[in-house]
């Protein structure tokens, strides 16, 4: 079933963080996490399956930073197609028995000057689509111009649904002061099918800033489990699964239709969230 059709029928639970789960499994913090799709596919599959077993019905590919700019920091800029194609294949394999959706994860480029940014997005998104992703998730963008380029690249390649998720400040504004309401309006005009926020704390300001439910533009929220604390080289996040579930259930009551987690939200958080959400039909 198409994701947009699915969201008209039910609130859909998604997965949580990939990076923090890989770190918890012993992966070094300076490692290229996306390259693990190729060198340690069983580890990536294990993370995907842990979320699906927790009740997630959408999984994000392990490809957030798998663009030519970010991969260049690891000398891997020539492996964009390989890494993204494999990331999509792994998520698709894991999701198959659970009949879950696969969203190709695309993050911002970071420090990118003197490059054709839209061409870089075209390369990454094209490989994710070739690998079997039938949803594209643009996540953790803070620059509306940059996410606009990514949206245009996706529209050039495929008609599949695209989720446009922004990272906002604690006051629920973008770094340049743009309100979420204004940002979501622009994303809708640029052709986003679903809009939302990701990698942000759940605050009263966030609840106040979320727009009224719009049947034509579903809302997605992927909050983090709080700000991390480094304890002897290990990142710990303060929000417990129980608190996370209560907060996300409140977001669902406020009209969000696609709900998952970001940094620090692991399988236990997602399992608690699924238990707190209305049951999937």
């Amino acid at each position: 079933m198409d994701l947009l059709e699915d969201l008209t029928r039910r609130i859909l639970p998604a997965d949580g963080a990939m990076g923090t789960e890989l770190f918890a499994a012993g992966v070094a913090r300076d490692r290229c996490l996306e390259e693990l799709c190729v060198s340690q596919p069983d580890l990536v599959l294990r993370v995907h399956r842990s979320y699906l077993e927790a009740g997630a019905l959408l999984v994000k590919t392990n490809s957030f930073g798998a663009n030519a700019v970010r991969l260049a920091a690891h000398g891997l800029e020539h492996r964009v197609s390989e890494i993204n194609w494999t990331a999509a294949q792994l998520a698709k394999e894991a999701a198959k028995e659970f009949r879950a959706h696969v969203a190709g994860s695309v993050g911002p480029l970071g420090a990118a000057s003197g490059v054709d940014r839209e061409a870089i997005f075209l390369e990454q998104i094209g490989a994710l689509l070739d690998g079997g992703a039938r949803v594209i998730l643009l996540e953790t963008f803070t620059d509306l111009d940059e996410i606009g380029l990514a949206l245009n690249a996706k529209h050039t390649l495929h008609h599949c649904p695209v989720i446009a998720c922004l990272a906002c400040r604690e006051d629920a504004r973008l770094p340049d002061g743009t309100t979420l309401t204004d940002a979501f309006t622009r994303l809708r005009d640029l052709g986003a099918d679903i809009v939302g926020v990701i990698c942000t704390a759940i605050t009263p300001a966030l609840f106040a800033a979320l727009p009224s439910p719009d049947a034509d533009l579903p809302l997605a929220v992927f909050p983090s489990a709080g700000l991390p604390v480094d304890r002897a080289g290990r990142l710990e996040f303060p929000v417990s699964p129980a608190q996370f579930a209560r907060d996300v259930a409140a977001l669902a009551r406020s009209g969000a239709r696609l709900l998952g987690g970001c940094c620090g939200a692991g399988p236990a958080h997602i399992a608690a969230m699924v238990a707190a959400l209305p049951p999937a039909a």
Side-chain angles (χ1 to χ4, degrees):
M1 181 183 297
D2 175 84
L3 175 64
L4 298 177
E5 181 183 353
D6 212 355
L7 286 172
T8 66
R9 298 173 55 246
R10 57 184 176 177
I11 292 171
L12 204 69
D15 63 4
M18 172 63 74
T20 46
E21 288 302 295
L22 293 173
F23 294 144
V27 175
R29 287 198 211 171
D30 61 353
R31 182 74 184 270
C32 177
L33 301 184
E34 294 82 6
E35 189 275 337
L36 295 171
C37 292
V38 177
S39 61
Q40 297 187 49
D42 289 346
L43 175 57
V44 175
L45 270 174
R46 189 159 71 241
V47 176
H48 285 318
R49 286 179 176 140
S50 70
Y51 284 120
L52 291 160
E53 289 165 356
L57 292 173
L58 178 144
V59 289
K60 305 181 291 287
T61 59
N62 180 34
S63 57
F64 172 77
N67 59 68
V69 173
R70 288 181 178 266
L71 289 178
H74 303 277
L76 299 170
E77 63 272 22
H78 59 292
R79 298 178 66 184
V80 171
S81 293
E82 175 193 11
I83 290 171
N84 284 279
W85 184 88
T86 306
Q89 285 282 295
L90 290 173
K92 184 178 177 181
E93 178 182 342
K96 183 168 55 177
E97 69 176 280
F98 296 89
R99 303 179 70 180
H101 300 279
V102 172
S105 170
V106 177
L109 303 185
S113 60
V115 298
D116 184 337
R117 292 188 293 171
E118 189 167 336
I120 290 171
F121 286 127
L122 281 167
E123 181 183 27
Q124 181 181 11
I125 295 170
L128 289 167
L129 293 168
D130 286 346
R134 285 300 173 263
V135 177
I136 295 298
L137 168 63
L138 307 177
E139 56 167 318
T140 324
F141 283 76
T142 58
D143 182 334
L144 288 172
D145 289 335
E146 184 175 45
I147 199 171
L149 292 173
L151 279 164
N152 192 60
K154 180 266 155 192
H155 295 322
T156 299
L157 292 167
H158 204 278
H159 63 275
C160 69
V162 57
I163 308 165
C165 276
L166 303 166
C168 63
R169 305 182 317 208
E170 288 191 4
D171 64 356
R173 290 175 179 263
L174 299 186
D176 66 1
T178 302
T179 66
L180 286 181
T181 299
D182 289 344
F184 289 162
T185 297
R186 182 167 173 190
L187 293 175
R188 179 192 59 204
D189 293 343
L190 289 169
D193 298 296
I194 301 165
V195 298
V197 292
I198 192 168
C199 200
T200 187
I202 300 177
T203 64
L206 178 63
F207 277 99
L210 294 179
S212 300
D214 183 343
D216 296 325
L217 194 68
L219 179 66
V221 185
F222 297 82
S224 63
L227 295 176
V229 176
D230 191 327
R231 299 191 188 281
R234 180 182 177 86
L235 293 179
E236 295 184 3
F237 292 80
V239 176
S240 69
Q243 182 62 54
F244 184 84
R246 287 193 292 271
D247 290 342
V248 173
L251 289 166
R253 292 193 294 274
S254 295
R257 301 292 293 175
L258 178 62
L259 292 151
C262 196
C263 301
H269 292 78
I270 299 306
M273 177 191 78
V274 170
L277 291 174

